[in-house]
């Protein structure tokens, strides 16, 4: 079924503790994906949910999970699998917010790149909810440091991305160990062949929920294209930051080298900028991301893979330093702004004709309107001729 509207949280039969947690975050009305998923998941039904990035998927499965947890039990009762450590950490943070008035609910986050001993110590505290990347959960299962045979709810978040990244064998091995499973939620921006295969094997009479990126749910994002020489790109970024008075910005590059270069050049111009990519040590990446989430870092430069799962509601703008290689990357990038009913902006810098062709193709295939603009003599952004 297709859901187009949210509902008031206090009409969903949620506990007082949960309503208090939502009220503390100033949430009264759900998003459509939450309205569609919370009731069937509370009833222990399987759910397959297709929804764009930034529509509130974590709360859609997080609320029913926390409502179901038996605080007096030491068993793992819910497992949430995510494709990247960043997304796993983000989910854990949001789930902790939801559980803040249920002190007996314990969560653990398991991912690669962190000492396994530290995670084993956390598992000794008997968490009821495990959020994990499939590879690291598999490592713990082999070591017998965690048991999942009593798990009742399983979630695969960003299921399409997880299966695209080659985790399908890890995921099926994990699902096969959960004999007491009552419901499985698949959350995905696209329903790929692999997602359908998992659904067919592991779900029964799943409730299918689709939230389209229509005008109500589509983020309000003004999209611009600036044609500049390669040598002028960093100057253009600085002008955008200053002229548009942007306080919190994400810049996307296609390569690790470009993220380092852009961050350094901006720092030399006095801009508070940091970058992350796959080669930066995990501890440093986490510190940079935490600063950005807290609003202490003005500019965050990243590659597409490194930035997955970073959910920040009030990013003023996204700047595509490089035109993305994939249509999907463009959608994910610009989806970081224009959230929570705020208007956002996305600026894409184009420095050659192939880049222009690629951006025009992306706009056509994703249904986005990208307006050509330029800086006039007074330094203001004004419409430019299209080509």
């Amino acid at each position: 079924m297709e859901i187009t509207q949210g509902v008031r949280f206090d009409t969903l039969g949620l506990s007082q503790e949960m309503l208090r947690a939502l009220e503390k975050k100033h949430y009264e009305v759900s998003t459509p994906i939450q309205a569609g998923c919370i009731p069937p998941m509370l009833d222990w039904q399987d759910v397959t949910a297709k929804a764009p990035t930034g529509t509130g998927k974590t709360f859609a499965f997080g609320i029913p999970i926390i409502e179901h947890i038996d605080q007096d039990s030491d068993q793992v009762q819910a497992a949430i699998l995510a494709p990247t450590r960043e997304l796993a950490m983000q989910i854990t943070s949001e789930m902790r917010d939801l559980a803040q008035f249920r002190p007996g609910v314990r969560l653990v986050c398991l991912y690669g790149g962190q000492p396994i001993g530290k995670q084993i110590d956390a598992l000794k505290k008997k968490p009821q909810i495990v959020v994990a990347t499939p590879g690291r959960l598999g490592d713990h299962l082999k070591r017998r440091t965690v048991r999942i045979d009593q798990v009742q709810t399983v979630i695969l978040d960003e299921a399409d991305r997880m299966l695209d990244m080659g985790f399908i064998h890890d995921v099926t091995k994990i699902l096969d160990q959960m004999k007491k499973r009552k419901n499985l939620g698949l959350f995905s921006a696209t329903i790929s062949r692999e997602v359908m295969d998992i659904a067919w094997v592991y779900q029964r009479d799943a409730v299918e929920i689709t939230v389209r990126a229509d005008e109500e749910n589509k983020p309000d994002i003004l999209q611009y294209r600036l044609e500049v020489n390669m040598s002028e790109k960093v100057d253009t970024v600085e002008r955008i930051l200053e002229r548009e008075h942007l306080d919190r910005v994400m810049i996307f590059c296609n390569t690790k080298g470009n993220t380092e270069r852009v961050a350094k050049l901006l720092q030399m111009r006095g801009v508070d900028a940091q970058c992350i990519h796959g080669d930066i040590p995990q501890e440093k990446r986490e510190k940079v991301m935490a600063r950005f989430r807290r609003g202490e870092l003005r500019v965050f430069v990243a590659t597409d893979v490194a930035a997955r799962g970073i959910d920040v509601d009030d990013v003023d703008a996204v700047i595509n330093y490089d035109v993305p290689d994939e249509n999907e990357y463009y959608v994910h990038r610009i989806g970081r702004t224009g959230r929570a009913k705020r208007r956002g902006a996305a600026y894409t810098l184009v420095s050659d004709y192939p880049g222009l062709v690629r951006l025009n193709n992306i706009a056509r295939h994703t249904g986005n309107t990208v307006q050509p603009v330029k800086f006039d003599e007074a330094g203001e952004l004004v419409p430019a001729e299209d080509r």
Side-chain angles (χ1 to χ4, degrees):
M1 69 180 149
E2 192 170 319
I3 308 285
T4 57
Q5 291 193 315
V7 296
R8 286 186 61 85
F9 281 116
D10 58 15
T11 66
L12 292 172
L14 304 178
S15 66
Q16 285 306 308
E17 292 91 344
M18 182 60 71
L19 291 173
R20 272 179 73 198
L22 290 164
E23 189 183 331
K24 191 169 176 187
K25 291 184 76 73
H26 308 295
Y27 291 136
E28 289 181 8
V29 178
S30 76
T31 64
I33 191 73
Q34 292 158 5
C37 292
I38 291 170
M41 288 198 67
L42 284 172
D43 287 340
W44 297 106
Q45 290 177 273
D46 288 343
V47 164
T48 300
K50 180 186 172 191
T53 301
T55 48
K57 287 183 271 188
T58 305
F59 280 19
F61 58 74
I63 289 171
I65 284 175
I66 287 165
E67 293 288 60
H68 281 154
I69 293 297
D70 175 1
Q71 292 165 249
D72 298 325
S73 169
D74 287 343
Q75 304 288 345
V76 177
Q77 298 161 47
I80 302 163
L81 300 181
T84 65
R85 62 192 86 178
E86 288 81 14
L87 182 56
M89 289 163 63
Q90 183 67 31
I91 291 167
T92 306
S93 170
E94 291 190 40
M95 297 280 285
R96 286 195 205 285
D97 286 347
L98 289 174
Q100 62 186 297
F101 298 109
R102 301 267 314 270
V105 174
R106 296 178 296 279
L107 294 97
V108 70
C109 188
L110 310 175
Y111 52 84
Q114 185 190 46
I116 202 158
K118 195 173 171 186
Q119 294 176 358
I120 291 169
D121 289 343
L123 286 165
K124 285 175 182 168
K125 293 175 182 165
K126 308 287 186 189
Q128 298 108 341
I129 301 169
V130 169
V131 186
T133 53
R136 182 48 67 102
L137 181 55
D139 290 345
H140 281 285
L141 290 169
K142 277 186 204 140
R143 291 166 180 260
R144 300 192 175 175
T145 47
V146 65
R147 286 182 57 172
I148 56 172
D149 55 326
Q150 300 298 312
V151 164
Q152 298 179 314
T153 297
V154 193
I155 302 294
L156 306 190
D157 194 16
E158 293 201 357
D160 51 346
R161 171 63 48 175
M162 190 149 44
L163 302 178
D164 280 352
M165 287 167 72
F167 283 126
I168 189 151
H169 295 302
D170 292 319
V171 169
T172 53
K173 214 181 271 184
I174 289 164
L175 289 172
D176 287 340
Q177 292 190 44
M178 299 175 177
K179 306 296 186 195
K180 300 265 181 83
R181 190 182 73 248
K182 288 185 181 178
N183 62 344
L184 166 62
L186 297 176
F187 288 77
S188 206
T190 58
I191 304 297
S192 63
R193 177 77 254 170
E194 291 82 1
V195 174
M196 287 169 69
D197 287 346
I198 292 276
W200 188 77
V201 174
Y202 292 98
Q203 289 187 320
R204 292 290 171 268
D205 303 320
V207 177
E208 293 184 15
I209 291 150
T210 301
V211 175
R212 290 194 192 284
D214 59 19
E215 292 317 304
E216 178 63 26
N217 300 301
K218 202 170 187 176
D220 182 8
I221 305 167
L222 298 170
Q223 297 169 57
Y224 303 111
R225 179 188 89 214
L226 290 96
E227 293 186 41
V228 296
N229 292 331
M230 185 70 78
S231 59
E232 298 170 345
K233 275 188 168 185
V234 176
D235 290 331
T236 304
V237 168
E238 189 184 11
R239 285 179 88 181
I240 292 169
L241 292 172
E242 300 312 321
R243 281 286 170 181
E244 302 300 301
H245 308 293
L246 303 173
D247 295 323
R248 195 191 289 201
V249 175
M250 292 186 81
I251 298 177
F252 284 96
C253 301
N254 290 350
T255 65
K256 297 170 187 175
N258 264 0
T259 62
E260 295 266 5
R261 204 168 61 81
V262 171
K264 282 197 176 108
L265 288 169
L266 287 172
Q267 287 165 9
M268 285 163 65
R269 287 163 166 78
V271 176
D272 186 12
Q274 294 284 335
C275 73
I276 66 163
H277 55 68
D279 290 348
I280 286 176
Q282 180 60 21
E283 195 176 338
K284 187 179 175 193
R285 284 162 67 177
E286 286 171 21
K287 280 181 182 163
V288 172
M289 287 189 287
R291 275 194 68 208
F292 189 65
R293 282 200 194 100
R294 291 194 301 263
E296 297 167 6
L297 176 65
R298 186 180 184 192
V299 176
F300 181 81
V301 190
T303 54
D304 292 285
V305 173
R308 279 195 82 82
I310 298 167
D311 252 348
V312 179
D313 276 344
D314 48 354
V315 173
D316 296 327
V318 166
I319 298 174
N320 293 313
Y321 187 85
D322 300 314
V323 178
D325 293 326
E326 310 266 349
N327 297 354
E328 184 195 349
Y329 286 168
Y330 182 81
V331 174
H332 276 297
R333 287 180 182 189
I334 70 167
R336 306 314 175 105
T337 186
R339 291 186 168 198
K341 304 293 183 195
R342 294 184 182 89
R343 169 166 278 193
Y347 304 86
T348 301
L349 309 187
V350 179
S351 57
D352 56 23
Y353 186 69
L356 178 64
V357 171
R358 194 156 73 248
L359 183 60
N360 285 339
N361 282 337
I362 288 169
R364 192 166 63 251
H365 284 110
T366 59
N368 284 290
T369 302
V370 184
Q371 184 185 345
V373 292
K374 63 180 182 182
F375 284 104
D376 66 9
E377 287 174 9
E380 299 296 327
L381 272 177
V382 296
E385 282 183 37
D386 206 349
R387 68 188 182 97

